């Protein structure tokens, strides 16, 4: 994993472009899938702080994205997606676990919330493997929650 910045705009846009159908299959990422190069690059130019925006790498190639969103620290939102060809290998689970652990130890995160659109069973399975529990069911998506034990050595960002 690495911070996802404007320096990766070309690779990031190519990832979006080849995954447009995959990103919208369940309605999750319609705005992202509709992005043109300029919009995608502009997003990466914005400093996400205090949130974290990370690229998921496999053998040096960008295969996805995982975000920890500072909604109301120490409570964070969470989102992720992978290239359609990279799903089913445990990469999402590993990347998500690493970012959540970083959030707990370095940022003092105590709670992480993620929403999964109904019908997106694979994303729900990732959250289940990570220990998330269903918190609330809405008309179009389910909110999941993971309670964390923050490190006593955590340093606020």
């Amino acid at each position: 994993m690495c911070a996802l910045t404007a320096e990766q705009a070309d690779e990031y846009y190519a990832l979006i472009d080849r995954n447009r159908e995959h990103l919208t299959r369940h309605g999750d990422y319609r705005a992202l899938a509709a992005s043109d190069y300029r919009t995608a690059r502009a997003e990466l130019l914005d400093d996400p702080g205090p949130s974290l925006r990370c690229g998921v790498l496999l053998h040096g190639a960008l295969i996805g994205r995982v975000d920890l969103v500072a909604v109301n620290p120490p409570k964070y939102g969470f989102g992720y997606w992978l290239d359609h060809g990279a799903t089913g290998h445990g990469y999402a689970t590993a990347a998500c676990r690493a970012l959540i652990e970083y959030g707990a130890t370095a940022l003092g995160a105590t709670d992480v919330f993620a929403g999964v659109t109904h019908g997106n069973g694979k994303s729900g399975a990732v959250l289940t493997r990570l220990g998330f529990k269903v918190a609330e069911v809405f008309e179009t998506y389910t909110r999941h929650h993971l309670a964390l034990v923050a490190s006593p050595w955590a340093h606020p960002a």
Side-chain angles (χ1 to χ4, degrees):
M1 240 179 354
C2 67
L4 189 56
T5 66
E7 289 148 5
Q8 293 126 322
D10 291 347
E11 192 175 8
Y12 180 60
Y13 180 72
L15 180 66
I16 293 168
D17 196 40
R18 71 176 174 264
N19 282 283
R20 292 186 193 280
E21 182 181 331
H22 175 64
L23 289 167
T24 59
R25 183 168 297 136
H26 301 288
D28 303 65
Y29 289 100
R30 288 186 179 156
L32 178 63
S35 296
D36 59 14
Y37 177 82
R38 191 174 64 184
T39 303
R41 186 173 187 282
E43 178 189 7
L44 298 183
L45 283 169
D46 285 339
D47 180 357
S51 298
L52 301 174
R53 177 181 59 221
C54 299
V56 180
L57 302 175
L58 179 64
H59 306 298
L62 184 65
I63 63 164
R65 176 175 169 173
V66 63
D67 293 17
L68 195 58
V69 181
V71 175
N72 185 19
K75 296 177 181 176
Y76 288 80
F78 190 66
Y80 54 93
W81 64 273
L82 287 183
D83 180 277
H84 64 88
T87 62
H89 302 285
Y91 304 137
T93 303
C96 291
R97 180 174 286 119
L99 189 58
I100 290 168
E101 287 176 3
Y102 179 82
T105 58
L107 304 177
T110 60
D111 296 270
V112 179
F113 295 89
V116 175
T117 303
H118 297 312
N120 190 349
K122 289 184 178 187
S123 281
V126 168
L127 295 176
T128 298
R129 282 191 293 278
L130 294 168
F132 280 77
K133 304 293 183 208
V134 171
E136 197 165 356
V137 178
F138 297 97
E139 184 177 335
T140 59
Y141 73 97
T142 300
R143 180 180 294 147
H144 298 258
H145 172 249
L146 179 64
L148 302 173
V149 177
S151 165
W153 299 282
H155 301 286

